[in-house]
Amino acid sequence: MDSIPSQETDLVRRIASGDGDALTRLFDLHSPVALGLLVRMLGGRAEAEEVLQETFLQVWMQAGRYEESRSTPRGWILMLARSRALDRLRRRDARRRREEEVSEDGARAVHPVGTDRLEAVERSSRIGVALGILSPEQRHCIELAFFEGLTHSQIAERLQAPLGTVKSRILLGMNKLRQALSTS
Amino acid sequence: MSAAHSTRLEELLPAYALGALDGEELRALEAHLASGCAECRRQLDLWEGDLEELASSVEPVAPSETTRRSIQRLAGKGGAPTPASARAARPLPFPRWAALLAAASLLIAGWSAVRQARLGEELERLGAERDQLARQVSGLDQQLGLARAESQRMAETLAIVTSPGSRAIVLAGLGPSPEARGHTFVNPERGKAVFYAFDLPGLTPDKTYQLWWIEGGKPVSAGTFDVDERGAGSVQVERAPRGATDAWAVTIEPRGGVPQPTGAMVLKG
């Protein structure tokens, strides 16, 4: 019997050859996690649903470009969704900066995406266990980069922390994650 | 041809996969990946695999019925475009005029979908160019800010070192790094000090150097510092002792520093 990733790879191949049933099947399998990721990143449900539709339009149009050797279908879809969400966040950030520049009172806009921790993660899940071994600072830096698309310098500015500290928190945190994921 | 592998650049891969790299490091790594380093490309795929786990860690959210219907239409279950290969296999259960009308609708819808996708790609390309420019501007802003901060820091340092009441303390290398040395300049009037270290060995990422002054036999932390590739590092001490001190020293401690020294002493004076 084929493994789950191999069955899903077959679905992507079928989508590339124009099989609509395969697209709905893949949508049913992965849209809840993809939408969860988009809601987490963008905050608003309506915008997240819109980006989810764009993501699956991209899956439909670009299934032929999927490379099995580089990621699982789930990973590919989640990275497409994340990339689209990051585009939205950057546009939003640029707009916010422009608005701040012209605002007379100079009050800082509240960032729309919270930096809350992954409390929703099931403690028993593999990634939940892996995240549990990170220090709160390491986890916070990784979350800011992954879910909000901030760079080292932007994180240092946001946290008012030295750039070198932010870099080592991310490097050590990612290494710990790798270690925990490979042993769990 | 595959480029020579670099462990220094390999260390940047986790941050690159996260999208956190910027500035010179980003340019260097992208150039290295573009030059075809197969090992770094392989490592990058592994890091992206780990991030897939992170992305999956969110609470799943069921899509709305509207979104689901929209995908079904896209997949050809609601009258929207179905690619030619799939359409050809299906019998047409309608009269000829209805089939022609349906085919025309499918062609129009298909053309719209392709056009939408092309426009989407074009928008994506323009968006990427705009983001690239925004990053460059942001990088220049940061450089300007850093240059200003550095200039201010140098002015403060000069004021401490050249003040008539300042005194200089020379720190000599101990045990693990006998060739290392350090200088502390204390300005008791301003209650400030600057410290410079030379020829100290680099540390692992979980360790840092910590500067102390010893007053009445008790060590007081003056801050932590890292050294560059030449072994040089510095600390600007904002609250330095105004009175006499027994000694100044540097120890190796866990990153972030500790309230009391625990590690090996490498400089003292």
Side-chain angles (χ1 to χ4, degrees):
Chain A
M1 203 171 100
D2 283 352
S3 65
I4 288 171
S6 142
Q7 288 169 14
E8 292 181 11
T9 303
D10 187 49
L11 285 178
V12 180
R13 274 196 215 105
R14 283 168 50 197
I15 294 169
S17 66
D19 185 338
D21 288 335
L23 181 70
T24 48
R25 177 84 188 109
L26 203 65
F27 177 81
D28 288 342
L29 281 172
H30 298 306
S31 60
V33 172
L35 184 57
L37 174 66
L38 292 167
V39 169
R40 169 73 203 264
M41 291 179 75
L42 296 167
R45 173 73 184 260
E47 191 178 17
E49 295 248 8
E50 199 180 309
V51 177
L52 182 70
Q53 289 184 29
E54 288 173 8
T55 304
F56 276 87
L57 174 65
Q58 197 174 351
V59 168
W60 180 236
M61 303 303 292
Q62 299 182 346
R65 294 192 198 170
Y66 166 69
E67 290 178 61
E68 189 184 345
S69 60
R70 299 199 54 192
S71 64
T72 62
R74 182 183 69 159
W76 180 57
I77 291 166
L78 291 178
M79 289 307 125
L80 288 179
R82 177 174 177 254
S83 168
R84 288 190 163 273
L86 288 178
D87 283 346
R88 294 250 178 168
L89 286 176
R90 286 185 195 120
R91 281 201 288 273
R92 207 190 268 179
D93 191 43
R95 199 165 51 235
R96 184 171 56 88
R97 279 190 203 173
R98 281 197 299 276
E99 284 165 5
E100 276 179 8
E101 277 166 19
V102 296
S103 106
E104 284 181 5
D105 60 9
R108 284 188 71 79
V110 175
H111 201 281
V113 178
T115 56
D116 53 312
R117 308 283 195 274
L118 293 171
E119 271 113 13
V121 177
E122 245 186 271
R123 293 287 107 195
S124 58
S125 73
R126 199 162 160 254
I127 183 70
V129 172
L131 285 168
I133 64 161
L134 302 188
S135 74
E137 292 82 12
Q138 288 166 348
R139 199 155 118 182
H140 193 34
C141 286
I142 288 174
E143 285 172 11
L144 286 172
F146 189 75
F147 292 113
E148 297 194 33
L150 299 190
T151 64
H152 279 146
S153 316
Q154 290 166 330
I155 295 170
E157 193 184 333
R158 171 85 69 90
L159 301 181
Q160 296 288 296
L163 184 60
T165 305
V166 169
K167 286 181 181 178
S168 34
R169 280 179 189 166
I170 285 185
L171 180 60
L172 289 172
M174 289 291 285
N175 278 319
K176 274 192 195 174
L177 262 189
R178 155 73 52 87
Q179 210 175 356
L181 286 172
S182 62
T183 53
S184 61
Chain B
M1 195 179 79
S2 180
H5 180 61
S6 156
T7 48
R8 183 180 68 82
L9 292 172
E10 184 187 336
E11 278 211 333
L12 300 176
L13 287 169
Y16 180 73
L18 269 176
L21 269 198
D22 50 12
E24 190 44 46
E25 289 178 330
L26 176 63
R27 281 189 286 280
L29 183 58
E30 283 188 333
H32 179 65
L33 289 170
S35 72
C37 177
E39 176 56 18
C40 280
R41 178 57 65 185
R42 191 185 70 81
Q43 290 284 346
L44 181 60
D45 288 344
L46 291 175
W47 285 115
E48 283 174 348
D50 292 340
L51 292 181
E52 177 190 331
E53 298 279 348
L54 186 60
S56 313
S57 69
V58 296
E59 189 80 29
V61 177
S64 68
E65 201 45 45
T66 311
T67 296
R68 210 182 133 64
R69 273 200 301 272
S70 159
I71 298 300
Q72 283 176 333
R73 273 199 302 278
L74 182 70
K77 293 183 173 180
T82 304
S85 56
R87 285 201 307 274
R90 292 179 188 165
L92 293 172
F94 308 114
R96 189 171 171 72
W97 64 268
L100 284 172
L101 189 62
S105 305
L106 285 170
L107 276 174
I108 291 166
W111 177 81
S112 301
V114 168
R115 187 166 165 70
Q116 189 184 350
R118 283 191 185 146
L119 283 172
E121 283 171 13
E122 182 65 9
L123 275 174
E124 214 166 288
R125 190 184 62 75
L126 289 170
E129 278 178 18
R130 185 208 48 230
D131 291 344
Q132 175 79 16
L133 285 170
R135 278 198 293 273
Q136 283 173 2
V137 170
S138 160
L140 288 172
D141 275 353
Q142 279 167 15
Q143 282 175 18
L144 184 62
L146 287 173
R148 281 188 182 139
E150 180 64 12
S151 161
Q152 194 179 348
R153 200 178 65 79
M154 291 305 289
E156 282 173 11
T157 302
L158 204 59
I160 293 169
V161 174
T162 57
S163 170
S166 291
R167 59 175 190 275
I169 298 121
V170 177
L171 283 76
L174 301 174
S177 44
E179 72 288 356
R181 62 202 186 282
H183 294 157
T184 304
F185 299 92
V186 186
N187 182 326
E189 288 167 19
R190 297 164 66 101
K192 292 192 173 189
V194 285
F195 165 79
Y196 292 96
F198 308 94
D199 299 324
L200 278 172
L203 298 175
T204 53
D206 57 329
K207 298 283 183 192
T208 189
Y209 287 111
Q210 190 161 3
L211 176 67
W212 310 87
W213 74 79
I214 297 153
E215 201 173 4
K218 288 184 182 168
V220 181
S221 175
T224 60
F225 65 97
D226 293 318
V227 293
D228 60 20
E229 65 279 4
R230 292 168 305 156
S234 66
V235 180
Q236 194 111 17
V237 187
E238 293 301 324
R239 284 188 203 141
R242 289 174 187 270
T245 52
D246 301 338
W248 286 73
V250 171
T251 57
I252 299 174
E253 302 296 350
R255 180 153 294 280
V258 288
Q260 288 296 311
T262 58
M265 190 181 289
V266 290
L267 284 173
K268 191 178 178 188

